[in-house]
Amino acid sequence: MKKLGYLFLSFLFVTGAAFAQEAEKKERKPGHGDISKFRQLKQELPDPNNRHTASGAPGYEYTQQKVDYVMNITIDEKTNKLFGEQTITYKNNSKDILDYLWVQLDQNMRARDSKTPEVQSSSFRNAFNGPVSFTNAYLKEPFDGGFNIDYVKDAQGKDLNHMVNRTMMKINLPTPLASGGTFVFKMKWWFNMPPYIEVGGRSGYEPFPDGNNNYTIAQFFPRLAVYDNVEGWQNMQFWGRSEWALEFGDYDVKLTVPADHIVDATGELQNEKEVLTKEQRKRWDKARKSFKDPVFIVTQEEAEIAEKGRSTKTKTWHFNAKNVRDFAFASSRKYIWDAMAVNINGKSIMAVSLYPKEGNPLWEEHSTRVVANTLEEYSKMTFDYPYSKAISVHAARQGMEYPMICFNYGRPKADGTYSDRVKNGMIGVITHEVGHNFFPMIVNSDERQWTWMDEGINSFVEILAEIDYDPNFDTGNLPKDIVRYMSIDQDRLSPIMTQGDNVYNFGPNAYTKPAAGLYMLRQTIMGPELFDEAFRTYSRRWKFKHPTPADFFRTMEDASAMDLDWFWRGWFYTTNYNDVGVKSVKSYYTTDQPTEKAIADLKRYNLPLEEYKDKLVFYAEGDPSTSKDAKKATDIGVIKKHMASMTDAQKAELKEIPNYFYEVTYEKPGGLVLPLIVELTYEDGTKERKKYPAQIWNKNDKEVKKVYATAKKITNIVVDPDLETADIDVTNNSWPKKKQDSQFDSFKKELKN
């Protein structure tokens, strides 16, 4: 043994020295750190702590503030001004001492001195779009928007020192607010409500030719910014795109409007007998028991009569809402009003719609039913809907969400006809905006910072709800739908993990790409059962709390036992794309009776045929290396002798010796690592799917080889046959190439268009 060991070591030394000398002749590459796309997200994610834990759950030191509002709001229909008085109670649940508070003044984005127009690029195209466009752009005075603050006082009526910085107001506290302390203050304000179709915006009013207005009012009161243990004060300016970070609290709101208006809002109506007729209350009670079809509380005929009048009196609607992060309302005398009940695990929730006659017949056919379907499907994926109602309000060119209420587009033509595009657009926007009740109205992420956490996650669940409503619904958020965006110039792409105001192509980046990625994660990578369990865990952990991206990423892994860091890094932190294809196929077959071609090859290379007579020989089809492969002949006698020595049980486990072998090289020109899905078609027309985890690329990020041994010839190989991995170039996805192209003709035409 010693002698053998010595000889072996000598061999290693000699060959090692020879290898070292050979290596010196080659150019040495510089060293590097861990560049694997499967490395952990240690550097990208913030360190876990006792508030946001390593598992992705809220820690035992997690805190969040509470803000309560008491408001009196008045609509002046003659001047289209909104007046408000409010008392705010701020509870400091953090461990910190606060010297000041930050209040969001979103309406100031439309003030005459707003900086928003100054940072937006413009062109001279308005001069060529007709007299109306030219007049609005260059001759008309800008809209006079923004808050007019009458006062900011403490609970005793003393003026509070405050400073307004564009869309943010800083209130300096008379004395620091200690942990556990409460501060009460009052504000009085008013502003000109914007005609949002003309000047843009997310709320305001739509004027109708009959002289009526549809008021959809939101972001209408000064709201406390979030103070948390991740960002401190979230007081980034509102530039018009990235939305809001808000605290939960209780609202007591009185809305004074013209007496002939119908109103609905966030919260429970407290004075039903004062504002509804006896007949309307009777119908509402009927709607509470109708789980199949909507019940009209105000019919179209009644709405058409109401819109012809103009009451000079007012009526006050009183709403109370518990544990919500915001408040919005809608008001008009034009509203048709219908509702139905939805059973969410034994609890009756009201699905409600308000719409002028201009929305019919589309809205009475679909709106409330879509609301009900959305509540059911989102509750299955997350948690039982905790509020008493969800309202869909028809407003042209709107798509905005608030707790329990949302404003949605989708208007038929004047004659009542509509296209499938208009119908599906309406179904999609209602599903999306009602779905926002879950993300971010309850799972309360920071929209100002991470748009994708509400829009993208919501758009993902929206896919499932839409397909449940209509199995053939074109959601526009599937992996194939993001290919065109991921194929554009890299200079116009941003990672999903980019603050919303700095994102190119905001819609695809914030909505479609994260939605498509999560759909891929559910359907292709994790599987629905495993994904749904983890997703519900995240939703329930962070219900009525403020999650961060790290909380989402960590929870999805913690609750599933899947390492997904490679997916988060590639899909969320980079602009890499997926492109996988078939690089080459070497095909072989076995025979102990050489063909004429094989015999000719043997003679060509002076290989004696007799030596191959009793051998199991591999031959390559159409490959110039046939003769070399023939040299790899295996003695079939040795195989038979080995098989004869096996037990009956061992023999029973053996398969038939395959006749064909295919060595397939898959290439990956794209930078993403994703599962490799392959469909094999055999000569008899049967098909077989092979699905390889993304880790197939962990040793070689450029290409991998797989060998398929089969009793039947393979006639076709297709990569990603169902377009489920957002592959941006399908022209390399098949072998033979010409047979596969036809399967993707329509998809390629779509990409070109």
Side-chain angles (χ1 to χ4, degrees):
M1 288 295 295
K2 290 181 180 180
K3 184 176 182 180
L4 180 61
Y6 173 78
L7 290 173
F8 181 66
L9 290 173
S10 298
F11 171 77
L12 287 177
F13 178 80
V14 173
T15 56
F19 177 81
Q21 292 174 0
E22 182 67 22
E24 286 180 357
K25 299 177 183 178
K26 299 179 181 179
E27 181 180 353
R28 288 188 174 90
K29 295 182 179 180
H32 58 78
D34 185 357
I35 58 175
S36 169
K37 292 179 179 175
F38 293 89
R39 67 191 184 276
Q40 298 296 287
L41 280 174
K42 302 296 186 185
Q43 294 178 325
E44 289 84 351
L45 297 184
D47 292 336
N49 51 51
N50 294 333
R51 299 173 295 278
H52 294 259
T53 67
S55 70
Y60 67 89
E61 289 188 342
Y62 174 84
T63 62
Q64 66 186 41
Q65 314 295 63
K66 186 175 188 291
V67 188
D68 299 331
Y69 298 82
V70 176
M71 294 191 288
N72 289 288
I73 307 298
T74 301
I75 286 180
D76 185 333
E77 190 175 33
K78 292 181 180 180
T79 62
N80 287 318
K81 296 182 187 296
L82 191 73
F83 297 88
E85 295 181 67
Q86 62 190 59
T87 299
I88 302 173
T89 302
Y90 188 90
K91 178 68 180 297
N92 181 17
N93 291 322
S94 75
K95 304 297 183 184
D96 305 326
I97 298 173
L98 303 180
D99 294 319
Y100 45 79
L101 307 178
W102 279 102
V103 178
Q104 303 183 58
L105 302 178
D106 307 309
Q107 291 296 327
N108 283 1
M109 195 271 290
R110 300 220 162 271
R112 287 196 173 186
D113 62 351
S114 171
K115 300 298 182 183
T116 297
E118 297 181 9
V119 302
Q120 296 173 346
S121 178
S122 61
S123 68
F124 192 52
R125 66 178 182 272
N126 289 311
F128 309 101
N129 290 340
V132 175
S133 178
F134 180 86
T135 300
N136 288 338
Y138 302 112
L139 302 180
K140 198 170 184 179
E141 286 289 335
F143 177 72
D144 187 14
F147 281 107
N148 296 275
I149 306 295
D150 290 333
Y151 63 70
V152 182
K153 299 177 180 292
D154 65 15
Q156 289 72 43
K158 295 180 181 180
D159 289 337
L160 287 173
N161 180 272
H162 63 279
M163 174 195 70
V164 175
N165 177 13
R166 302 178 191 173
T167 61
M168 287 287 171
M169 172 191 282
K170 182 182 181 183
I171 298 177
N172 294 304
L173 299 175
T175 58
L177 183 61
S179 175
T182 298
F183 182 72
V184 179
F185 64 103
K186 302 176 181 180
M187 299 180 67
K188 184 178 181 182
W189 47 264
W190 66 273
F191 64 85
N192 293 313
M193 290 180 286
Y196 71 84
I197 291 179
E198 178 184 342
V199 303
R202 300 162 186 255
S203 74
Y205 68 94
E206 175 191 359
F208 285 83
D210 60 17
N212 284 293
N213 293 329
N214 178 18
Y215 295 96
T216 49
I217 308 301
Q219 302 101 247
F220 68 90
F221 61 100
R223 304 177 292 175
L224 263 294
V226 165
Y227 181 85
D228 65 16
N229 37 39
V230 176
E231 297 284 343
W233 282 107
Q234 175 47 286
N235 55 6
M236 297 173 69
Q237 292 290 329
F238 177 50
W239 293 98
R241 172 188 282 178
S242 296
E243 295 176 355
W244 305 282
L246 298 165
E247 301 284 11
F248 289 103
D250 301 333
Y251 286 72
D252 189 279
V253 183
K254 293 178 180 177
L255 304 170
T256 300
V257 302
D260 51 358
H261 274 211
I262 295 295
V263 176
D264 213 342
T266 303
E268 307 295 325
L269 181 60
Q270 301 297 298
N271 58 338
E272 187 176 294
K273 290 183 179 181
E274 296 175 21
V275 295
L276 301 183
T277 67
K278 184 177 180 180
E279 182 62 29
Q280 289 169 346
R281 297 200 308 274
K282 181 179 177 181
R283 293 171 181 175
W284 181 251
D285 287 338
K286 182 180 178 181
R288 288 187 175 111
K289 302 177 182 65
S290 179
F291 291 88
K292 184 179 180 181
D293 295 307
V295 173
F296 286 97
I297 291 91
V298 175
T299 67
Q300 179 165 335
E301 181 181 8
E302 292 166 340
E304 289 178 351
I305 294 172
E307 70 182 8
K308 295 175 183 177
R310 292 292 184 278
S311 176
T312 57
K313 298 180 180 180
T314 62
K315 188 182 291 185
T316 299
W317 298 61
H318 184 190
F319 291 90
N320 189 282
K322 301 291 185 184
N323 202 24
V324 295
R325 61 163 240 167
D326 202 357
F327 187 96
F329 69 97
S331 180
S332 179
R333 63 176 57 86
K334 290 178 66 67
Y335 286 149
I336 302 165
W337 180 9
D338 71 49
M340 65 182 288
V342 189
N343 184 351
I344 304 295
N345 277 338
K347 182 180 178 181
S348 292
I349 310 297
M350 296 306 295
V352 183
S353 293
L354 298 174
Y355 46 98
K357 68 177 187 296
E358 286 79 4
N360 267 341
L362 183 58
W363 273 66
E364 70 178 28
E365 291 174 356
H366 290 286
S367 178
T368 298
R369 291 182 173 89
V370 174
V371 174
N373 178 75
T374 304
L375 294 177
E376 291 173 342
E377 295 308 307
Y378 273 71
S379 293
K380 291 176 186 176
M381 284 296 295
T382 57
F383 42 76
D384 291 352
Y385 184 69
Y387 299 131
S388 64
K389 64 182 179 182
I391 313 157
S392 171
V393 182
H394 177 43
R397 304 184 194 177
Q398 283 280 21
M400 275 306 300
E401 74 284 353
Y402 307 93
M404 305 184 215
I405 188 169
C406 55
F407 312 144
N408 305 305
Y409 60 79
R411 183 166 295 176
K413 296 178 182 177
D415 63 2
T417 61
Y418 54 86
S419 65
D420 285 342
R421 181 177 182 180
V422 170
K423 182 190 76 171
N424 291 335
M426 187 206 76
I427 292 171
V429 72
I430 293 175
T431 302
H432 182 88
E433 306 304 345
V434 173
H436 270 308
N437 276 286
F438 294 81
F439 307 97
M441 300 301 150
I442 298 170
V443 182
N444 190 15
S445 57
D446 179 355
E447 299 176 86
R448 187 62 51 87
Q449 184 73 255
W450 307 115
T451 307
W452 71 267
M453 287 196 74
D454 70 295
E455 299 296 357
I457 292 178
N458 180 47
S459 296
F460 156 68
V461 189
E462 176 192 347
I463 297 173
L464 307 180
E466 288 168 343
I467 293 175
D468 183 80
Y469 190 79
D470 177 0
N472 298 314
F473 196 88
D474 183 7
T475 73
N477 285 321
L478 297 177
K480 68 182 181 64
D481 299 316
I482 198 61
V483 167
R484 184 181 302 157
Y485 167 69
M486 297 183 74
S487 305
I488 66 175
D489 191 319
Q490 284 286 327
D491 289 342
R492 303 300 297 175
L493 294 173
S494 304
I496 294 175
M497 289 292 291
T498 302
Q499 196 273 330
D501 292 321
N502 304 321
V503 168
Y504 293 113
N505 297 287
F506 185 72
N509 181 280
Y511 294 68
T512 310
K513 187 180 177 184
L518 294 177
Y519 187 83
M520 190 190 316
L521 191 62
R522 181 180 192 260
Q523 302 298 125
T524 304
I525 298 170
M526 298 177 70
E529 183 178 4
L530 194 59
F531 178 95
D532 292 356
E533 175 67 20
F535 190 75
R536 276 190 290 267
T537 300
Y538 165 73
S539 302
R540 292 168 183 174
R541 278 179 173 179
W542 291 98
K543 180 171 64 171
F544 297 113
K545 293 182 175 66
H546 302 306
T548 67
D551 296 321
F552 178 70
F553 298 150
R554 284 170 169 153
T555 295
M556 292 300 293
E557 297 189 23
D558 181 70
S560 68
M562 287 196 71
D563 179 5
L564 299 169
D565 282 15
W566 57 272
F567 179 74
W568 311 131
R569 172 178 286 106
W571 198 261
F572 285 82
Y573 283 87
T574 78
T575 60
N576 281 332
Y577 54 85
N578 183 37
D579 181 16
V580 180
V582 181
K583 182 178 182 180
S584 65
V585 177
K586 291 184 179 180
S587 54
Y588 305 84
Y589 66 93
T590 63
T591 179
D592 55 4
Q593 299 294 324
T595 63
E596 292 183 7
K597 179 180 182 302
I599 292 172
D601 287 337
L602 293 170
K603 289 180 178 179
R604 179 183 175 189
Y605 289 93
N606 298 318
L607 298 173
L609 180 61
E610 289 299 318
E611 291 187 14
Y612 290 84
K613 185 176 181 181
D614 296 324
K615 309 281 179 138
L616 180 66
V617 186
F618 294 79
Y619 294 100
E621 296 180 346
D623 192 299
S625 62
T626 299
S627 59
K628 297 178 183 178
D629 294 316
K631 292 179 181 179
K632 299 176 183 177
T634 301
D635 191 333
I636 198 168
V638 174
I639 293 177
K640 290 179 178 179
K641 182 178 180 181
H642 171 68
M643 293 171 65
S645 68
M646 300 174 73
T647 65
D648 291 341
Q650 290 174 324
K651 292 177 181 178
E653 296 177 354
L654 296 176
K655 300 187 301 183
E656 179 183 1
I657 295 177
N659 296 321
Y660 303 95
F661 299 83
Y662 298 85
E663 182 185 271
V664 183
T665 301
Y666 297 104
E667 62 178 346
K668 193 177 70 60
L672 288 179
V673 286
L674 288 169
L676 173 63
I677 306 169
V678 178
E679 183 177 82
L680 308 176
T681 302
Y682 297 101
E683 59 185 335
D684 61 0
T686 59
K687 298 179 184 292
E688 181 182 8
R689 285 284 176 97
K690 302 282 188 180
K691 185 174 177 180
Y692 306 103
Q695 284 75 9
I696 193 174
W697 306 105
N698 65 355
K699 297 294 194 302
N700 189 336
D701 190 31
K702 302 300 180 184
E703 64 179 45
V704 295
K705 292 181 179 181
K706 299 299 292 186
V707 173
Y708 304 107
T710 175
K712 299 178 291 186
K713 277 188 177 182
I714 295 176
T715 59
N716 199 21
I717 301 174
V718 181
V719 171
D720 194 13
D722 294 330
L723 306 176
E724 55 184 300
T725 63
D727 193 324
I728 71 162
D729 181 8
V730 296
T731 61
N732 62 348
N733 281 29
S734 63
W735 172 87
K737 185 175 181 179
K738 62 180 180 180
K739 290 186 178 181
Q740 183 58 27
D741 283 353
S742 61
Q743 297 185 27
F744 292 96
D745 280 346
S746 60
F747 183 51
K748 288 191 294 182
K749 288 178 182 177
E750 180 185 341
L751 294 183
K752 290 179 181 179
N753 293 333

